[in-house]
Amino acid sequence: MAVETLVLDDDCETITGWGRTAPTLARVRRPRGHAEVADAVRSSGARGAIARGLGRAYGDAAQNAGGTVLDMTGLDRILAVDATAGLVVCEAGVSLHRLMEALLPLGRFLPVSPGTRYVTVGGAIGADVHGTNHLVSGSFGRHVTALELLTADGEIRTVLPGTPLFDATTGGMGLTGVILTATLRLPPVETSLMTVDTERAPDLDETMARLAAAGHRHHYSVARIDLLARGAATGRAVLTHGDHTPYDALPRRHRARRAPLAFRPVRLPAPPPYVPGGLLGRTTVGLLNELRYRAPRARTGGVRSLAAFLHPLDGIPHRNRIHGRAGSVPYQFVVPYGQEEALRRVVRRIADRRCPALGAVLQRFGAGGPGPLSFPLPGWTLALDLPAGLPGLGAFLDSLDEEVAGAGGRVYLARDSRVRPEALAAMYPRLGEFRALRAALDPRSALTSDLSRRLDL
């Protein structure tokens, strides 16, 4: 499920992020081994190279205008699995989907899974992705025990947790080196099902109170929030809390008792290649939000498949088309605990502007990662998706950036396509540390991207 590309000649393609905005032209290399990766980096020229996985970064993190893009999906071997110890060694181009297929039958699962399983291991590390279990499990980098990293000088280094290079690579958006292999630590599971509690909250304060009350009682917790609701209903949400279902907890006649670790995600028909840009305007999104809020009943102990609970939108191929040809602009930020009023202001401003935000989710983060560009910090994170064609969207999001930065928060680079460099410096206080490490490691910027140029990383 890589993004669509337009082939212009033998090795040049127009590439976009998952949001399908700001396309740029680059030479695309598809290495099949470590030597080919090294050769591609050495021969990339003045505009450098950047690694790319399945294209799920929304913005320009895996684009490189006029340079080289390394499509790493050919390095997709699972090299070793130790189900007893809970370890897997794999190449960076392996998707999380494929790991689930391979590991679930062995009674192991990924420690962290973001909103889609169609990302590569290399991409998950480079963005230090998080899931709805961050409060309990942290982000992806916490569960990596070793990396093989090709740095700009052509050297392949074994990089271990606790070192500056490892920390900078987790969340470093591919700018410290090309990840070749990774060793991951895996938790055990007894089934491929989730036990889920569902509840509704009538407003933002109640949504936040219920998420806080859930605390560490559940492995996964998230609120799907209606950002078109206003007045007393501002911030109303449907909350889901989930835990991996033990085998003994399965209903006596449940079909999963015969194959408790089977992984069978449902696939729905793809949307048409062209979707009218106004199809998901305020009226349509408002109706969808109303249905989403009204439909579920409060329920305790429901059983769902892993895919339905963790990746409900992955069943729709090419779902990034639903905002039409203009594409979409995602926005995700986090503000620290103690800055709840800043979150309330942002939610009210989005609701008052009547932005047709789709798939908005609110959750709590636990401890942040050690990387200078790792996104999570202890606090509240809100993620939403907006049509790129909304009038005045850029200026509106710039003003939200100021609100977030003023509260000591930050935006997520893997979902960014437009933040200003000066705002980024206010959000990431260790940005200078990252720049210094990168300058020492790669003085000629052999590893570079549209994002790194835009933000002077």
Side-chain angles (χ1 to χ4, degrees), residues 359-440:
V361 295
L362 177 70
Q363 69 178 92
R364 299 174 72 219
F365 275 166
L373 291 189
S374 182
F375 167 65
L377 55 81
W380 300 90
T381 181
L382 177 66
L384 55 141
D385 199 10
L386 297 165
L390 284 179
L393 179 60
F396 177 64
L397 293 181
D398 284 346
S399 69
L400 295 188
D401 287 345
E402 294 177 3
E403 186 92 54
V404 169
R410 59 183 60 149
V411 298
Y412 189 21
L413 292 182
R415 293 178 61 90
D416 173 63
S417 59
R418 30 70 43 204
V419 73
R420 294 170 297 165
E422 58 272 24
L424 187 80
M427 295 173 176
Y428 284 86
R430 296 173 60 197
L431 181 59
E433 177 185 331
F434 179 83
R435 285 171 171 161
L437 183 144
R438 187 174 175 231

Side-chain angles (χ1 to χ4, degrees), residues 176-389:
T176 62
V178 180
I179 298 169
L180 300 175
T181 71
T183 304
L184 311 177
R185 188 170 47 245
L186 310 166
V189 293
E190 296 181 16
T191 72
S192 60
L193 298 174
M194 302 292 298
T195 302
V196 181
D197 296 347
T198 304
E199 58 180 335
R200 286 186 295 191
D203 56 42
L204 183 59
D205 284 346
E206 186 66 18
T207 297
M208 295 166 67
R210 294 190 184 192
L211 280 174
H216 289 71
R217 289 190 293 114
H218 298 279
H219 204 75
Y220 303 85
S221 285
V222 67
R224 288 172 171 83
I225 188 169
D226 181 359
L227 290 176
L228 279 174
R230 292 186 294 177
T234 299
R236 69 180 184 177
V238 175
L239 291 83
T240 52
H241 314 285
D243 296 283
H244 293 281
T245 305
Y247 182 82
D248 289 346
L250 290 174
R252 288 181 59 188
R253 297 184 179 179
H254 198 287
R255 62 181 182 178
R257 280 190 169 270
R258 294 190 298 272
L261 292 166
F263 182 55
R264 303 187 187 96
V266 174
R267 298 282 286 172
L268 300 176
Y274 171 67
V275 179
L279 185 63
L280 285 179
R282 291 173 186 151
T283 301
T284 305
V285 173
L287 287 172
L288 290 173
N289 286 350
E290 186 70 23
L291 286 171
R292 182 182 292 115
Y293 182 73
R294 297 292 177 187
R297 295 177 294 124
R299 186 179 180 187
T300 300
V303 177
R304 295 189 204 171
S305 70
L306 278 167
F309 179 76
L310 293 175
H311 314 116
L313 296 181
D314 271 353
I316 306 173
H318 307 296
R319 61 182 171 83
N320 59 333
R321 294 176 182 168
I322 61 178
H323 281 299
R325 288 180 174 172
S328 61
V329 176
Y331 190 68
Q332 183 171 3
F333 67 89
V334 58
V335 292
Y337 295 126
Q339 294 292 332
E340 286 76 11
E341 190 52 43
L343 174 63
R344 294 186 183 96
R345 286 194 298 268
V346 170
V347 170
R348 284 196 297 267
R349 291 181 61 186
I350 295 171
D352 289 344
R353 191 180 172 88
R354 306 294 288 154
C355 292
L358 195 64
V361 295
L362 177 70
Q363 69 178 92
R364 299 174 72 219
F365 275 166
L373 291 189
S374 182
F375 167 65
L377 55 81
W380 300 90
T381 181
L382 177 66
L384 55 141
D385 199 10
L386 297 165

